[in-house]
Amino acid sequence: MIAWCSLAMAQPVTDGAVPTLNAQRFRPTLDGRSTLWTDDARPSRGQTVQLRSLLHYADEPLAYTAIDGSRTRLVRSVLQADVMGSLHSKRARIGVALPVYLWSRSDVADGQAGLGDVALDGRVALLTGPASWGLALQGRLTLPTSTVDTALGTPRTGWEAAAVVDRPFGRWLWAANVGVKGAPNVELENVALNDFVVVRTALAYAFSERAGAALELAGDLPLRELASTSTPIEWLLSGYLPATDVLDVRAGFGTAITGGIGAPDWRAVLGLGLRTGRRPRARKEAPSPVEPKAELGRDTIDLRDRVYFDTDRATIQPRSYALLDEVAELLVDHPELTLIRIEGHTDERGDAAYNLDLSTRRAAAVRKYLIDRGVAPNRLQAVGLGEGLPLDTRSTREAWERNRRVDFYVIERAYH
């Protein structure tokens, strides 16, 4: 009879035997904006290539204590590097994760280094645009490429299929991943391991467009039986900061909540993220095949179309989404514009107080839309001016249509 500390095994581990499982359960996100472990559902704007490299250490993720009190640490500690790359289109993303064990220690096979199980990853966004909720489907295929002799790889192909949900709340972002992870069957001494329900969730806060912090929880719940020895749950606190215009620094620390398989005493993560390959802009001397709907003026953002709302409401109509997407992209591409005032205007019809309130709510709706598309909240100021500043003072249908508008003004710039 063997009593497990971090693992309850049914496969013999005596005489130096190593169970055929991967005790490294940390699976970094390829492109999470604010997180290290949990994926978010937000698609990238246009075609981009993202590269990330993470260095992480896990302390004693796999050990057991025999009934006679002797203790065997099948994975005592592991230092791992993950090199990840992903290609993004408007709604889809494909990527690859290459894990490399730089160093691992074990009571049965010390000093192991080599390649881990390579993973192929794909995601398709289902719910995007102005909706507060984001929804995507994601899949991952893990190949049996590990070259180490410790319990840090599996002999067969594994897979994961999950739903990805997120929702922004101003500077806050909540995200969750729920799915099923398929793995080869492993019969350990008093528990059988096979497929797991995977749950990851995160709450992130953005200090700016490129700096923030997140608290994450991640757990694997076995489909066959629920036991503390086979149900690893961890927490991870992380943060990220810009290093250069295209390079971010990320770091995190966490510990096990339950002593399940693969949940280490503690885990530390340090990494770099590089984003390249934004949609190329046409050279100034070459005419653009599609005329932009939003352009940066001297002190304004000039629109070639109106922002349309439902009658007497602050609900943005779908025909204005593309226009506001261009405004959001312009602001993201010009971080030196540190404060933009969004002015809402109405026509002269109706009560003045009602029109002032309506214009205020419409300006706020535009501000929220831009925040949902990645613009930092502290860069946007929404103001309603009602009917007080008409472009056309006539009382005609054409004048009323001109006067119902949203204007954008550059209030502050950062000069370098």
Side-chain angles (χ1 to χ4, degrees):
M1 180 71 181
I2 297 178
W4 286 89
C5 182
S6 287
L7 174 62
M9 301 196 75
Q11 181 177 324
V13 295
T14 57
D15 301 325
V18 177
T20 55
L21 57 82
N22 191 347
Q24 177 60 284
R25 57 182 299 270
F26 178 57
R27 183 227 61 143
T29 173
L30 269 63
D31 61 342
R33 288 172 173 79
S34 310
T35 55
L36 290 173
W37 204 334
T38 309
D39 290 287
D40 60 57
R42 303 284 149 172
S44 293
R45 289 179 293 274
Q47 185 172 336
T48 61
V49 174
Q50 293 190 32
L51 301 175
R52 286 190 181 181
S53 177
L54 288 179
L55 185 68
H56 50 97
Y57 174 87
D59 184 71
E60 205 166 295
L62 188 58
Y64 75 96
T65 302
I67 196 168
D68 62 1
S70 63
R71 182 175 175 80
T72 302
R73 292 167 292 189
L74 296 174
V75 181
R76 193 176 185 181
S77 58
V78 57
L79 180 66
Q80 176 178 336
D82 281 285
V83 180
M84 299 168 286
S86 54
L87 175 63
H88 302 246
S89 66
K90 189 173 182 180
R91 284 182 175 267
R93 186 264 287 150
I94 57 174
V96 61
L98 179 68
V100 179
Y101 298 118
L102 303 177
W103 174 66
S104 65
R105 299 178 63 191
S106 169
D107 291 344
V108 296
D110 209 356
Q112 290 284 311
L115 182 66
D117 289 341
V118 174
L120 306 177
D121 197 286
R123 185 180 67 222
V124 176
L126 302 181
L127 183 61
T128 60
S132 295
W133 290 93
L135 175 63
L137 295 180
Q138 183 162 303
R140 174 172 285 217
L141 195 64
T142 304
L143 307 179
T145 55
S146 178
T147 61
V148 298
D149 294 330
T150 50
L152 292 171
T154 58
R156 295 183 180 86
T157 300
W159 56 269
E160 179 181 313
V164 181
V165 181
D166 67 17
R167 183 173 182 179
F169 299 90
R171 294 194 176 206
W172 294 92
L173 175 70
W174 171 79
N177 311 157
V178 180
V180 177
K181 179 168 65 176
N185 184 48
V186 179
E187 296 290 337
L188 304 174
E189 291 196 3
N190 59 342
V191 68
L193 302 177
N194 192 353
D195 298 340
F196 289 84
V197 174
V198 178
V199 179
R200 294 182 290 269
T201 186
L203 184 63
Y205 182 80
F207 302 112
S208 67
E209 286 187 44
R210 293 183 55 198
L215 178 61
E216 304 180 59
L217 295 176
D220 294 343
L221 310 178
L223 291 176
R224 286 193 178 184
E225 58 183 290
L226 192 63
S228 62
T229 53
S230 58
T231 309
I233 302 176
E234 298 180 49
W235 66 268
L236 184 68
L237 181 64
S238 64
Y240 58 99
L241 291 168
T244 68
D245 289 343
V246 295
L247 194 65
D248 295 330
V249 177
R250 297 170 182 266
F253 178 85
T255 67
I257 297 176
T258 64
I261 298 171
D265 289 344
W266 58 274
R267 187 188 301 280
V269 184
L270 179 65
L272 296 174
L274 175 68
R275 176 175 297 186
T276 63
R278 283 195 173 190
R279 278 183 292 185
R281 295 185 179 276
R283 296 180 180 177
K284 291 183 178 180
E285 64 272 19
S288 176
V290 179
E291 190 173 18
K293 295 181 173 65
E295 292 184 314
L296 181 60
R298 182 179 178 85
D299 295 309
T300 61
I301 296 176
D302 300 324
L303 307 183
R304 296 188 179 275
D305 198 0
R306 291 173 45 207
V307 180
Y308 291 92
F309 299 88
D310 290 348
T311 303
D312 287 333
R313 296 177 64 87
T315 303
I316 301 170
Q317 294 186 0
R319 55 177 163 168
S320 294
Y321 296 163
L323 171 64
L324 292 178
D325 285 346
E326 285 199 21
V327 174
E329 185 173 358
L330 186 150
L331 292 176
V332 170
D333 289 344
H334 289 274
E336 74 276 7
L337 307 179
T338 56
L339 183 59
I340 302 296
R341 185 173 70 235
I342 305 167
E343 293 186 356
H345 301 268
T346 66
D347 59 42
E348 64 181 351
R349 295 175 297 172
D351 179 74
Y354 174 82
N355 287 338
L356 180 62
D357 175 71
L358 178 61
S359 66
T360 300
R361 289 188 286 114
R362 286 180 170 178
V366 172
R367 179 179 183 271
K368 182 179 183 303
Y369 185 99
L370 297 179
I371 291 171
D372 289 346
R373 301 304 292 169
V375 182
N378 62 346
R379 297 177 62 194
L380 301 173
Q381 178 186 81
V383 178
L385 299 177
E387 61 189 67
L389 293 176
L391 295 177
D392 192 330
T393 57
R394 296 177 299 162
S395 295
T396 65
R397 185 175 299 276
E398 292 78 10
W400 296 332
E401 186 171 341
R402 285 193 67 198
N403 293 334
R404 294 192 300 270
R405 69 192 190 277
V406 175
D407 294 330
F408 296 86
Y409 290 94
V410 179
I411 304 303
E412 294 179 5
R413 293 175 184 261
Y415 295 96
H416 301 285

